[in-house]
Amino acid sequence: MDFNRNAKCWCGSGLKYKKCHLEFDEKLNDFARQGYEVPSRDIIKNQEQIEGIRKSARINDSVLDLVTANIREGMSTEEINQLVYNHTVAQGAVPAPLNYEGFPKSVCTSINDEVCHGIPSKDIILKSGDIINVDVSTILNGYYSDASRMFIIGEAAQEAKKLVDVTKECLIKGIEAIKPWGFLGDIGAAIQKHAESNGFSVVRDFGGHGVGLEFHEDPFVHHYGKPGEGMILAPGMIFTIEPMINAGSYGLYVDEDNGWTARTLDESLSAQWENTVLITEDGVEIIAK
Ligand code: MF3
Ligand code: CO
């Protein structure tokens, strides 16, 4: 790169290049020369952007905490939608799903065999034995954050509880597999190994994604794969890890009527947990959970 060492860094930090991303670029260029896939500059966040995304995530976490405190048997998923909408706008933020590519509600609520993108409705009433994912995404001052949690309503079957627990472990193992200057494939491999060793399957058709300045940015984060494959994980990358794990096989279909909701083909249960993470110089920071 032709960057003058004393000119301002491309990342927008205002620092001199030599004091900011010079070493970073040299490292990435080495990887690129060796044939590895490297992140482009537009997905590397600077400190100001990271702080903006953290603030968005604080609100996102508080919305999920509110859902956690209030979700119960007999409640409709539309009531969850109202909670999310009201608590988000009361804090000066915007629910990212609302009107996103035509999505009609402020949150995704995916029950039982629904893999993702369930649409809240006053006609869907939570009953004992249901498992449900509530997926919350927030925009604050243009900065996006994204996380989801599972809830077990009343008393669920052993197999359902196991699926919910193993899926959370998959998320944790995926995060633990992160090393700065490691590989995106390290994450998917850790998730796939844990899911399949428990007799479950990993959804292929949806994945995690870069997030922060937009809802969905590069890279696409596979939840299966091989260690040492895929994009290099460089400090300043922010993306979601959001494994969708099925009790049966990973095949799914999208509801033709609403155009959104994905369900398992074999009608088996599906679970999902999602965090937004930041790759740091020495590890990983959970931004939204
Ligand atoms: N929150 C989802 C994700 O994790 C995206 C939902 S898009 C929506 O990527 F429009 F359905 F909200
Ligand atoms: Co997401």
Side-chain angles (χ1 to χ4, degrees), residues 117 135-137 145-148 207-211 215-216 240-242 272 274-276:
H117 303 163
D135 190 340
V136 174
S137 319
S145 55
D146 191 2
S148 79
H209 50 90
V211 64
F215 200 167
H216 296 102
T240 72
I241 304 175
E242 46 181 305
Q272 177 179 30
E274 174 179 23
N275 282 181
T276 295

Side-chain angles (χ1 to χ4, degrees), residues 178-180 233-239 277-281 283-285:
I178 291 174
K179 294 177 298 293
L233 299 176
M237 289 172 72
I238 295 188
F239 54 83
V277 300
L278 163 70
I279 308 299
T280 64
E281 299 288 339
V284 58
E285 176 186 326

Side-chain angles (χ1 to χ4, degrees), residues 11-257:
C11 79
S13 63
L15 297 172
K16 287 185 178 173
Y17 181 52
K18 67 181 179 190
K19 294 256 177 201
C20 197
H21 278 94
L22 171 61
E23 225 179 288
F24 175 98
D25 279 348
E26 286 172 350
K27 217 159 172 171
L28 269 196
N29 288 340
D30 273 347
F31 279 115
R33 266 194 297 275
Q34 293 170 58
Y36 293 111
E37 191 186 336
V38 298
S40 68
R41 286 179 175 174
D42 56 357
I43 62 168
I44 304 300
K45 273 72 179 176
N46 66 30
Q47 279 311 315
E48 180 184 342
Q49 294 165 336
I50 290 168
E51 198 40 49
I53 298 163
R54 280 199 193 105
K55 284 190 179 133
S56 169
R58 258 173 240 146
I59 295 177
N60 205 72
D61 286 356
S62 78
V63 173
L64 272 166
D65 289 345
L66 186 76
V67 171
T68 304
N70 286 282
I71 196 163
R72 58 184 157 73
E73 191 177 341
M75 187 183 213
S76 73
T77 52
E78 173 58 23
E79 285 173 76
I80 298 171
N81 180 60
Q82 303 277 325
L83 271 182
V84 169
Y85 178 82
N86 291 333
H87 193 61
T88 305
V89 299
Q91 295 178 86
V94 176
L98 189 58
N99 302 319
Y100 174 77
E101 292 185 6
F103 193 80
K105 298 284 177 173
S106 296
V107 60
C108 297
T109 51
S110 307
I111 299 195
N112 298 335
D113 66 331
E114 293 178 349
V115 174
C116 62
H117 303 163
I119 301 178
S121 161
K122 64 176 176 28
D123 299 325
I124 302 173
I125 310 291
L126 301 182
K127 58 180 196 311
S128 184
D130 284 342
I131 61 168
I132 180 171
N133 174 275
V134 179
D135 190 340
V136 174
S137 319
T138 298
I139 316 171
L140 179 72
N141 302 325
Y143 293 114
Y144 289 76
S145 55
D146 191 2
S148 79
R149 300 179 193 168
M150 289 300 295
F151 301 96
I152 293 173
I153 308 300
E155 274 303 308
Q158 247 344 294
E159 177 76 354
K161 286 192 215 161
K162 181 183 168 194
L163 178 67
V164 170
D165 288 346
V166 167
T167 304
K168 187 169 193 180
E169 292 157 11
C170 283
L171 170 61
I172 292 166
K173 285 179 186 288
I175 295 170
E176 286 173 350
I178 291 174
K179 294 177 298 293
W181 311 105
F183 300 86
L184 207 48
D186 301 347
I187 300 170
I191 291 169
Q192 181 177 19
K193 184 175 164 211
H194 191 62
E196 292 180 356
S197 68
N198 278 282
F200 300 140
S201 70
V202 179
V203 166
R204 279 10 185 200
D205 297 339
F206 297 97
H209 50 90
V211 64
L213 310 188
E214 291 173 60
F215 200 167
H216 296 102
E217 304 173 359
D218 281 344
F220 184 85
V221 180
H222 294 279
H223 298 119
Y224 59 94
K226 296 201 175 73
E229 288 191 346
M231 191 181 282
I232 295 285
L233 299 176
M237 289 172 72
I238 295 188
F239 54 83
T240 72
I241 304 175
E242 46 181 305
M244 284 146 273
I245 306 297
N246 294 352
S249 60
Y250 58 71
L252 59 79
Y253 68 97
V254 174
D255 186 298
E256 281 181 21
D257 297 325

